[in-house]
């Protein structure tokens, strides 16, 4: 009979022992990753962006998260008595790195420059250019990249100025008429030599602007975005919050959610 008894200490030095050690290290690494992800999720949950009501301007946002932590971020900030700056961004990664990048974007974006003689509202294209330099200055081994729409709105006149960093195109939903794409040029954030341009237009009473992240687009780079236009046409909601939720629902019904999905809607209210 063959003696199958293992020599003393074999479990520590043999293949079985090595497997146990690898398994133990993997469990420790997984536990650490889970703790870090949970911490990032708590931080994100504690941050609730405010959307000020100024003059005739109102905002609504609807988010659907794919994972425990998200890569989308949006906010609006009152810049002076009649101007609000707003943005929607999408960090191009997943998990904790995307959550950290989204938090970084929300922290460093700035639409106002203060000097001894007064202040200056920074044009949207310049805001994106400065943000791009901030991202490049991080000098990470894997450069962070993101898409973004940044804009300002005069809450009295209804004048909107927008700049785009490779984000899905915004949709203009007029009070009277059909939704149309507002075509904007602009490259990714986090890329050397990136370029951006500001475009402006006047909103009429009852007009809405809609911005989405790429989790709700078949082709985020497309200039026509037919599915977005169709969703706007099929959505009948008086409330801006209901409108944003219905748009998100219609755009996500025909696909499996594989990324965070956010709708940011703006309305220039009637008097």
């Amino acid at each position: 009979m063959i003696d199958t008894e293992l020599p003393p200490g074999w479990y520590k030095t043999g293949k079985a022992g090595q497997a146990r050690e690898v398994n133990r290290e993997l469990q420790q690494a997984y536990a650490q990753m889970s703790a870090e992800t949970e911490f990032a999720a708590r931080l994100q949950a504690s941050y609730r962006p405010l959307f000020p009501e100024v003059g005739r301007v109102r905002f609504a946002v609807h988010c659907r998260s794919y994972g425990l932590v998200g890569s989308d971020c949006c906010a609006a900030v009152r810049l002076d008595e009649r101007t609000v700056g707003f943005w929607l961004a999408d960090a191009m990664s997943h998990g904790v790195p995307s959550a950290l990048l989204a938090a970084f974007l929300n922290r460093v974006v700035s639409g106002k420059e203060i000097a001894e003689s007064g202040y200056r509202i920074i044009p949207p294209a310049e805001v994106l250019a400065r943000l791009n330099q901030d991202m490049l200055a991080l000098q990470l081994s894997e450069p962070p990249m993101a898409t973004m729409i940044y804009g300002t709105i005069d809450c009295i006149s209804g004048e909107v100025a927008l700049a785009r960093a490779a984000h899905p195109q915004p949709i203009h939903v007029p009070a009277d008429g059909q939704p149309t794409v507002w075509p904007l040029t602009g490259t990714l954030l986090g890329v050397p030599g990136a370029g951006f341009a500001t475009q402006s237009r006047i909103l009429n009473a009852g007009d809405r602007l809609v911005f989405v992240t790429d989790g709700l687009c078949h082709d985020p780079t497309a200039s026509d975005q037919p599915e977005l236009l169709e969703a706007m046409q099929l959505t009948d909601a008086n409330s801006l919050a209901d409108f944003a939720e219905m748009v998100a629902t219609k755009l996500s019904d025909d696909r499996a959610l594989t990324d965070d999905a956010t709708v940011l809607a703006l309305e220039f209210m009637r008097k």
Side-chain angles (χ1 to χ4, degrees):
M1 177 181 294
I2 299 177
D3 185 4
T4 58
E5 184 178 352
L6 296 174
W10 184 90
Y11 72 96
K12 295 183 179 178
T13 59
K15 290 183 178 179
Q18 293 174 356
R20 291 191 187 95
E21 180 63 20
V22 169
N23 184 57
R24 183 185 66 81
E25 292 176 355
L26 287 173
Q27 288 180 341
Q28 289 178 342
Y30 178 77
Q32 181 177 353
M33 290 174 58
S34 296
E36 291 173 350
T37 302
E38 183 180 352
F39 177 70
R42 289 201 304 269
L43 284 178
Q44 279 197 326
S46 68
Y47 173 74
R48 291 289 182 268
L50 300 177
F51 291 90
E53 296 182 358
V54 184
R56 297 161 60 187
V57 173
R58 300 293 183 270
F59 293 92
V61 61
H62 186 80
C63 301
R64 298 187 178 192
S65 296
Y66 172 64
L68 189 61
V69 292
S71 60
D72 294 351
C73 64
C74 60
V77 176
R78 187 167 182 168
L79 300 176
D80 63 15
E81 293 182 355
R82 60 186 292 167
T83 310
V84 171
F86 59 92
W87 61 90
L88 175 60
D90 183 2
M92 298 186 66
S93 57
H94 294 284
V96 174
S98 68
L100 293 175
L101 179 54
F104 172 82
L105 293 172
N106 267 335
R107 176 178 173 273
V108 301
V109 64
S110 176
K112 186 176 181 179
E113 189 174 65
I114 300 176
E116 292 183 1
S117 58
Y119 69 87
R120 180 176 73 99
I121 303 299
I122 304 173
E126 186 178 341
V127 170
L128 292 184
R130 292 184 176 195
L131 189 56
N132 190 63
Q133 290 302 313
D134 290 336
M135 292 175 64
L136 292 173
L138 294 173
Q139 296 184 336
L140 301 179
S141 57
E142 294 185 7
M145 291 186 289
T147 69
M148 190 174 192
I149 289 277
Y150 179 86
T152 60
I153 180 167
D154 184 314
C155 300
I156 297 177
S157 69
E159 182 177 5
V160 177
L162 294 178
R164 167 181 174 263
H167 204 79
Q169 299 284 6
I171 305 297
H172 180 196
V173 185
D176 300 307
Q178 296 299 312
T180 59
V181 174
W182 182 345
L184 299 168
T185 60
T187 52
L188 279 171
L189 289 172
V191 177
F196 314 100
T198 299
Q199 289 189 22
S200 300
R201 64 175 61 178
I202 302 291
L203 298 184
N204 295 316
D207 284 6
R208 291 171 174 174
L209 290 176
V210 183
F211 313 90
V212 305
T213 52
D214 62 6
L216 293 172
C217 298
H218 287 294
D219 182 3
T221 63
S223 59
D224 51 352
Q225 298 295 346
E227 76 279 5
L228 297 186
L229 295 175
E230 182 179 3
M232 310 302 161
Q233 292 169 334
L234 296 176
T235 300
D236 182 18
N238 293 325
S239 161
L240 187 63
D242 290 344
F243 175 80
E245 182 177 0
M246 291 178 67
V247 167
T249 299
K250 290 182 182 299
L251 290 172
S252 59
D253 276 349
D254 62 345
R255 74 197 72 186
L257 189 63
T258 59
D259 196 0
D260 298 326
T262 302
V263 174
L264 174 63
L266 174 160
E267 182 173 1
F268 187 57
M269 305 287 289
R270 302 179 188 275
K271 293 182 179 179

